[in-house]
Amino acid sequence: PTGAKLSTDYGASWSALPGVSGIEVYISASGQRMVAMDTQYSNGSGGTVSGVNITVSSDYGVTWTGTATFPSCRSAQMAMSQDGQCLLVAGRDCVMVSTNYGVTWASAAIAPLDNWHFPAVSPTGRFMAVTPWLGQIYVSSDYGATWGMRTGVLGEWTGAILTY
């Protein structure tokens, strides 16, 4: 990857963001908060995935700060609340939660470790969900503090959306 780029003129021109190599960039509804998630490889680009790095901006992408590295989190995806305060990262053997714009992170209390996919966060951040590749969906209704398995919704998941 060549790194992230920023446009401040509705896409007419783009400038590189030094130190931000995020493959995926998540942007709050206002545009003020941004989170870049960069997949790390143990032996160069395209090699074995060895984790992810998280970099955040609170000033419309002008400055960026690296806040977290999850070395055991592979094939990760992220979801963000509308204001950017609540974040959920889910991947192989990891589910990580932040409720302070990505400044600090905590491992979600979900067992067993699995190949987690399709993180979803409601617009307010209160509700969160993750799904394993096959199995029951896990849901939190308290900003990711506690998690419970939803019974009766066993399936092969292709996505999750929370609208409340």
Side-chain angles (χ1 to χ4, degrees), residues 24-150:
E24 298 178 30
V25 177
Y26 300 82
I27 304 170
S28 67
S30 70
Q32 179 181 357
R33 303 278 180 172
M34 299 181 188
V35 179
M37 185 171 70
D38 180 30
T39 301
Q40 298 299 301
Y41 297 94
S42 60
N43 57 348
S45 181
T48 304
V49 175
S50 62
V52 296
N53 287 335
I54 305 292
T55 308
V56 300
S57 173
S58 61
D59 58 5
Y60 300 93
V62 176
T63 60
W64 292 79
T65 304
T67 61
T69 298
F70 309 131
S72 64
C73 195
R74 298 177 304 279
S75 302
Q77 300 168 320
M78 185 186 296
M80 172 190 276
S81 63
Q82 189 171 350
D83 63 3
Q85 182 173 355
C86 297
L87 303 160
L88 178 63
V89 171
R92 190 170 176 198
D93 298 333
C94 79
V95 178
M96 304 299 293
V97 176
S98 174
T99 56
N100 60 2
Y101 303 99
V103 175
T104 60
W105 294 82
S107 180
I110 300 177
L113 293 177
D114 205 329
N115 194 10
W116 297 104
H117 290 280
F118 313 119
V121 176
S122 68
T124 64
R126 179 177 172 202
F127 299 96
M128 297 182 177
V130 294
T131 65
W133 187 252
L134 290 169
Q136 305 283 359
I137 189 168
Y138 281 72
V139 177
S140 171
S141 59
D142 56 7
Y143 302 92
T146 61
W147 292 81
M149 180 177 64
R150 294 292 174 154

